Amino acid sequence: MSAVLEAVRTGRTGEAALLLRRLSDAERRALLPELRRLRKEVRELPWDRRDGRERMYPPLQVAGAMCHSGAAAAATWIAGADMRWRQAPVETLLRALADRDAGWQADVARRLAARPDSADVPFALMAGLVRRSGCEVPVTDAYVAGWIRDVCRDWAHMPLVERLRADPDLAVLVNGLFELADLGGVRWLFGDGPGSWQSAIAELTRTGELDRRAVADACVARLLRGGGPSDHRVFLPMLVRLALTREEERERVADWTALARDAVSPVAAHAQAVLSALALDGGLTARQLAEASEALLFRTEKKLVRAQLVLLGKVLAGEPAAAAQLLPAAAQVFGHEDTQMQERALKLVERHAKRLDDPAARSGIADAAERLSPGLRVRAAGALGLAPAPVAEVYEEALPPVPEPFRLAPAPESAVELAEEIGVLLASEGDVAAFERALDGLARHAYRDRDALRAALEPVAATRWWLRPDADGERHLEDRFGPGRRGLLDAAGGLELVLAALYGLVSPATLLAGLHRGPADHDCARHAFSRVLDVRFRELAHRIRTDPQPLLLATPSWNTGLLEPDELVDRLDGYRRLGARVGEVDFAQALLRVRRGDRAAALAAARRAAGLGTPEGDRLARLLSAGAPALPGVHPRTSGPRVLVESAEVPELGTDLPEAFRRLGRPFTVSDAVRYCYHWVQESHRHWPATLPELRELVAVRLVQDFAEAAMDDLRGVAAALPLLAESGGTAGESTHLCVAYGLGARHAEDRLAAVDALLVLAARGQLDAERLGADLGRLVRRGAVKPLRLAESARTAAATGANATIWEMLRHALPVLLADLATAGAATPGAVRGLGELLSVAAECAERSGARGALPHLSQAAARRGTSRLVVQARRLSDALGMAAAA
């Protein structure tokens, strides 16, 4: 037996199998513990330290298969995950198992075939065991997928159809093909064209080697079942190549109807084509066509809806008596979001309404007409002979409730609870309020008992990179957190620095140098707010390491970042009584957050602060007595297709503050905005509004370029800060509205949705200047910085919440700029007007719903253009809505 183990250790597969054949069953079983030990030894070694010992896997696989007497154990050993990378030759395995009885081999074959396809069991091994045992073919996913790969392996030597024809198990395995749970692993093998699987199976049905009806039924059933996203690319061409006769198609009317209703768009289009041909040939009853139409007209694809309405028109032209059954189906389109589809359906009803003698059908269509746009509703009433619709009630805008700020909960009293919250923050970022509470909690607990805090944080620290040395035993924390690093710390990185400092892994000298010097590339004006966040982390980390603070002065009172003046006075008084040293950066951030807009509260707090008798109290008193913060002057400027904003100096941020904070008050120019900056720190954008919670415009001016990149490039996620900006305080001026404008045209849907939220928040707070926003959007669309289709999607989403008047007011000032270009360009090129029709559609819907009236510059010229393009149709619709005598 030692000879067997030596052959296994040295990778001699054939020799190991030969030696094992000479042993009895009992001797083989006695070898199993040693084989398991060898397998464990290799499996537990890292890949880079195996020194060629993976050569043991092929003989191990053969030896284990021969030594296990049970079929289940043998199959488990053969298909082990660690064996699949270095498997024994299939013929060697089959010869090794040849002395087992047929029932045992059949059982192993079935167990191997029952494993998932990802187990990578060789098809030749499963097929060989099936062939030798004479058992039935196991039609499992692994077996069928393996068969498909095996058949495709010799395409170059023999046509696929001939290989399939030569397979004795063809019918069984083709049936298994239709039952595969997922084609993902073999989808690429099917291809297309004359030599494809689809063509080969169709050919075999024509020659009678496969049952044509069974294949057709299986193909339709698979399409009905659905499956993976690419399944239809295999089974739909297969169904098409079967070329079903008209009679065969008529037998499956119910299936085509179900596919038209539920299948993916390409399959539904094919089902629609089959049903259309049957309907025009008289192969469908009016009831069957109505059922199929209801299934199709419920879908959102305009192409399918348009084609079905055309078909209904053709059938009704030849069978007027079918109007009672077909027109109610067509009326289902009255609720379609596209008014062009609504109008097509209404034209069909208008054309055949006189033949509608069924009161129930007429009543159903009248009910459906309530979902039409107001302009079309009047036409529907006339076509159906109904009384004019009553004048609608005065429109009321439905804006979301104004977001209410909430107070931050105190920092966790327990170090264990704080550790849990920090673990959550590191895993999921969290919001600004949770982050600020965690920083305050770290300061408080480090001041009370640093050792207890470290002990509570052990489970969190154990998962962090800075606690685990690399292969050379180094942690490189000085490089990552020192003054020579490149880039600013984001929120997660700053929290990591504070924790590493708490554990003594970053030297005080490194922390102090980083606090004073900043990163090697810290001069980017666009990210002055991220620089403020960076120095806040560095000061806290340095103080925790050298001189813990009893609490953080800058922890806001509210989730928006505002700090109540009375609370700041109380904290300064606490520092005075404890004799603690105030952190320069922490105090500077507290001064920028303190509420000054409420003058009565500010002046009362100023008197208390002056009575503290400390330098910090005197500075706070002067600040609170000085009045509300001043808004910096801003001026729009252009840079290529972009419209950006420059700001003037903010004097009160230029003195008595650390360098990082003074940067916030410096003038900001277009050259600053467009400067290349690779330390974008997108994750920190959500912290920016809380840095200056009463100076929203100063935050927005540095965000404009990032939002421009979200609209014009591939920057993603930055718009998550927009709702926070909208909830912030201070005037919503040029910069804020320009940020919202770019956000509404952002490339990614989640960013556009965030911009819609911000727009609605500003509107609900009465801070939205729709005229300014509309003018900005018109200018950005005209310059190519915002795509009209994206803007139309955002506007439609906002209007769907009930803000029709707000969105109309916005578009009323955006559209004239674009319509003027259209009017002066004459026959504009398609690229120049792409998406304008969608914008007009949203504007028309908002105007109809809100009852807007009046003239829109240049609209009449667009409405007077020839043709039935979406732009022209929607321009006419908007013109009609604005000129209606009364709301519908």
Side-chain angles (χ1 to χ4, degrees):
M1 289 195 289
S2 60
V4 174
L5 295 175
E6 181 60 25
V8 170
R9 281 188 176 278
T10 54
R12 303 194 301 274
T13 306
E15 182 180 337
L18 182 63
L19 291 170
L20 282 167
R21 284 195 195 97
R22 300 172 183 168
L23 301 180
S24 65
D25 288 346
E27 289 172 323
R28 292 184 189 179
R29 286 194 295 273
L31 272 172
L32 280 173
E34 285 299 318
L35 293 176
R36 293 191 185 103
R37 186 184 61 77
L38 281 177
R39 182 181 180 185
K40 182 179 180 182
E41 175 186 318
V42 182
R43 188 167 52 202
E44 291 182 351
L45 281 173
W47 281 101
D48 56 347
R49 297 184 184 178
R50 292 190 173 181
D51 299 327
R53 274 180 277 189
E54 66 272 9
R55 66 178 178 271
M56 287 193 284
Y57 274 126
L60 264 176
Q61 190 178 34
V62 170
M66 295 180 70
C67 292
H68 280 97
S69 57
T76 301
W77 182 278
I78 292 169
D82 55 332
M83 300 285 189
R84 72 184 61 164
W85 305 111
R86 289 287 302 271
Q87 300 194 40
V90 170
E91 286 303 319
T92 302
L93 263 174
L94 289 173
R95 283 195 301 270
L97 302 178
D99 60 343
R100 301 299 181 98
D101 63 73
W104 189 92
Q105 292 189 52
D107 196 1
V108 171
R110 285 191 292 268
R111 292 178 183 277
L112 291 176
R115 290 184 169 267
D117 185 37
S118 58
D120 202 22
V121 178
F123 173 75
L125 174 61
M126 295 185 288
L129 290 170
V130 168
R131 186 172 59 253
R132 292 185 178 202
S133 65
C135 68
E136 291 184 1
V137 173
V139 188
T140 63
D141 282 7
Y143 197 91
V144 174
W147 169 70
I148 293 170
R149 296 189 192 97
D150 187 66
V151 169
C152 293
R153 197 163 284 122
D154 288 332
W155 257 351
H157 302 93
M158 184 186 297
L160 175 62
V161 68
E162 296 301 327
R163 293 214 67 197
L164 291 174
R165 184 173 278 131
D167 195 318
D169 301 313
L170 174 64
V172 174
L173 290 170
V174 166
N175 286 337
L177 165 63
F178 292 106
E179 296 298 325
L180 271 179
D182 184 15
L183 286 177
V186 294
R187 162 70 185 89
W188 63 277
L189 294 171
F190 284 86
D192 202 356
S196 65
W197 276 79
Q198 295 92 328
S199 296
I201 289 176
E203 173 63 24
L204 293 171
T205 61
R206 281 191 288 273
T207 58
E209 288 152 289
L210 287 175
D211 185 289
R212 174 182 172 82
R213 185 180 185 87
V215 171
D217 287 343
C219 209
V220 171
R222 180 56 186 248
L223 291 172
L224 282 168
R225 189 184 85 184
S230 63
D231 282 13
H232 67 276
R233 295 189 178 95
V234 172
F235 297 110
L236 181 57
M238 190 179 295
L239 182 62
V240 171
R241 283 177 173 80
L242 288 175
L244 300 183
T245 65
R246 190 66 76 213
E247 185 57 35
E248 288 173 325
E249 290 175 340
R250 190 176 292 111
E251 292 172 357
R252 296 175 172 83
V253 168
D255 293 333
W256 305 129
T257 302
L259 288 172
R261 179 181 60 245
D262 299 323
V264 294
S265 193
V267 178
H270 175 75
Q272 182 183 43
V274 172
L275 290 167
S276 298
L278 289 172
L280 295 175
D281 286 350
L284 291 183
T285 65
R287 181 180 182 83
Q288 288 174 321
L289 179 56
E291 290 176 354
S293 298
E294 288 174 356
L296 272 158
L297 297 175
F298 184 75
R299 300 181 68 103
T300 58
E301 298 95 326
K302 297 177 187 177
K303 183 178 179 180
L304 298 180
V305 173
R306 188 162 41 242
Q308 195 65 18
L309 290 174
V310 170
L311 172 65
L312 290 177
K314 290 179 180 179
V315 172
L316 284 169
E319 299 181 47
Q325 290 181 294
L326 298 185
L327 288 184
Q332 183 173 305
V333 186
F334 289 173
H336 199 282
E337 65 175 16
D338 187 340
T339 56
Q340 278 189 293
M341 295 298 104
Q342 293 182 13
E343 188 169 13
R344 282 177 178 271
L346 179 57
K347 284 181 178 178
L348 185 64
V349 171
E350 288 174 331
R351 196 158 52 242
H352 300 281
K354 293 180 180 178
R355 300 179 181 130
L356 196 60
D357 53 6
D358 185 341
R362 185 177 289 272
S363 174
I365 295 173
D367 291 341
E370 293 298 319
R371 294 178 290 167
L372 287 167
S373 64
L376 296 179
R377 210 177 300 155
V378 174
R379 284 174 51 184
L384 296 170
L386 302 175
V391 177
E393 297 179 0
V394 176
Y395 172 77
E396 290 186 10
E397 188 82 337
L399 292 171
V402 177
E404 292 291 336
F406 61 86
R407 274 192 169 273
L408 264 66
E413 285 294 328
S414 158
V416 173
E417 183 184 352
L418 174 64
E420 292 174 352
E421 293 192 9
I422 289 174
V424 172
L425 279 175
L426 289 172
S428 60
E429 296 183 11
D431 58 19
V432 176
F435 194 83
E436 293 287 350
R437 287 182 66 247
L439 292 182
D440 187 39
L442 284 169
R444 289 172 182 267
H445 285 281
Y447 180 81
R448 295 174 193 168
D449 190 338
R450 241 183 326 207
D451 292 337
L453 178 57
R454 280 195 290 263
L457 283 166
E458 282 295 339
V460 176
T463 66
R464 313 319 301 170
W465 62 269
W466 40 263
L467 202 62
R468 299 190 299 271
D470 60 17
D472 299 324
E474 300 292 335
R475 293 192 177 94
H476 302 290
L477 293 176
E478 305 293 321
D479 296 337
R480 293 287 293 271
F481 293 133
R485 77 203 180 283
R486 298 183 68 82
L488 296 164
L489 291 170
D490 61 8
L495 195 53
E496 298 272 15
L497 169 64
V498 174
L499 294 177
L502 175 67
Y503 278 84
L505 299 176
V506 187
S507 69
T510 297
L511 294 170
L512 189 60
L515 175 62
H516 289 163
R517 290 168 51 191
D521 57 347
H522 69 285
D523 289 330
C524 176
R526 275 173 60 187
H527 291 274
F529 283 90
S530 289
R531 176 69 174 126
V532 167
L533 194 63
D534 182 279
V535 296
R536 287 186 63 205
F537 290 132
R538 297 193 176 281
E539 182 182 76
L540 177 58
H542 183 257
R543 291 294 298 271
I544 282 180
R545 189 83 165 82
T546 60
D547 179 20
Q549 300 159 270
L551 53 86
L552 290 185
L553 297 171
T555 304
S557 308
W558 302 91
N559 65 303
T560 58
L562 270 178
L563 173 57
E564 292 297 337
D566 272 345
E567 290 186 33
L568 180 53
V569 174
D570 291 340
R571 293 172 189 176
L572 286 173
D573 188 33
Y575 265 76
R576 180 186 61 80
R577 286 185 282 101
L578 292 171
R581 179 169 61 88
V582 170
E584 182 185 19
V585 171
D586 182 33
F587 183 53
Q589 176 63 91
L591 291 177
L592 297 187
R593 281 179 170 169
V594 69
R595 184 197 294 272
R596 295 157 63 188
D598 184 344
R599 297 309 302 147
L603 292 174
R607 289 191 291 272
R608 287 188 58 211
L612 293 177
T614 64
E616 292 79 17
D618 293 341
R619 282 183 61 190
L620 175 59
R622 289 195 298 271
L623 180 75
L624 294 174
S625 301
L631 184 69
V634 296
H635 311 282
R637 293 286 186 270
T638 59
S639 175
R642 292 168 167 82
V643 177
L644 303 175
V645 178
E646 294 182 336
S647 68
E649 184 177 3
V650 183
E652 74 173 41
L653 296 181
T655 58
D656 298 333
L657 290 173
E659 169 63 18
F661 293 86
R662 291 200 296 272
R663 294 169 187 268
L664 300 178
R666 292 174 184 168
F668 186 78
T669 66
V670 167
S671 61
D672 292 324
V674 299
R675 176 181 174 181
Y676 174 69
C677 173
Y678 56 82
H679 55 278
W680 280 342
V681 201
Q682 290 183 42
E683 299 83 355
S684 295
H685 280 145
R686 57 195 167 87
H687 293 268
W688 290 15
T691 304
L692 287 175
E694 286 190 319
L695 281 176
R696 172 170 33 202
E697 278 292 282
L698 195 57
V699 179
V701 73
R702 285 174 170 79
L703 282 171
V704 170
Q705 171 66 4
D706 287 338
F707 287 122
E709 290 170 358
M712 300 187 65
D713 302 317
D714 199 26
L715 191 60
R716 188 174 199 152
V718 65
L722 258 180
L724 300 176
L725 191 68
E727 294 176 24
S728 190
T731 301
E734 179 72 29
S735 303
T736 301
H737 283 78
L738 201 51
C739 286
V740 174
Y742 278 120
L744 293 173
R747 177 173 181 177
H748 298 288
E750 63 267 31
D751 289 330
R752 294 196 295 272
L753 191 59
V756 169
D757 288 343
L759 183 153
L760 295 175
V761 168
L762 289 172
R765 298 180 70 183
Q767 297 173 336
L768 181 70
D769 186 338
E771 180 177 353
R772 168 180 276 170
L773 180 59
D776 286 342
L777 285 168
R779 185 166 40 160
L780 293 177
V781 172
R782 187 171 183 269
R783 298 176 67 87
V786 166
K787 296 187 182 300
L789 285 173
R790 295 177 187 167
L791 173 58
E793 181 183 331
S794 297
R796 180 172 280 113
T797 301
T801 67
N804 293 286
T806 299
I807 300 305
W808 162 246
E809 190 66 16
M810 177 186 80
L811 294 178
R812 184 170 73 87
H813 293 92
L815 287 171
V817 179
L818 310 178
L819 292 172
D821 282 349
L822 184 66
T824 55
T829 61
V833 297
R834 185 182 179 192
L836 183 52
E838 288 296 328
L839 276 176
L840 287 167
S841 173
V842 179
E845 184 170 345
C846 291
E848 289 169 347
R849 294 183 182 279
S850 64
R853 300 291 177 266
L856 188 70
H858 310 293
L859 178 62
S860 58
Q861 293 95 316
R865 291 165 67 95
R866 294 180 179 179
T868 57
S869 67
R870 183 163 184 77
L871 188 154
V872 173
V873 169
Q874 294 304 322
R876 292 170 185 164
R877 176 190 171 197
L878 177 56
S879 181
D880 290 344
L882 294 177
M884 289 174 63

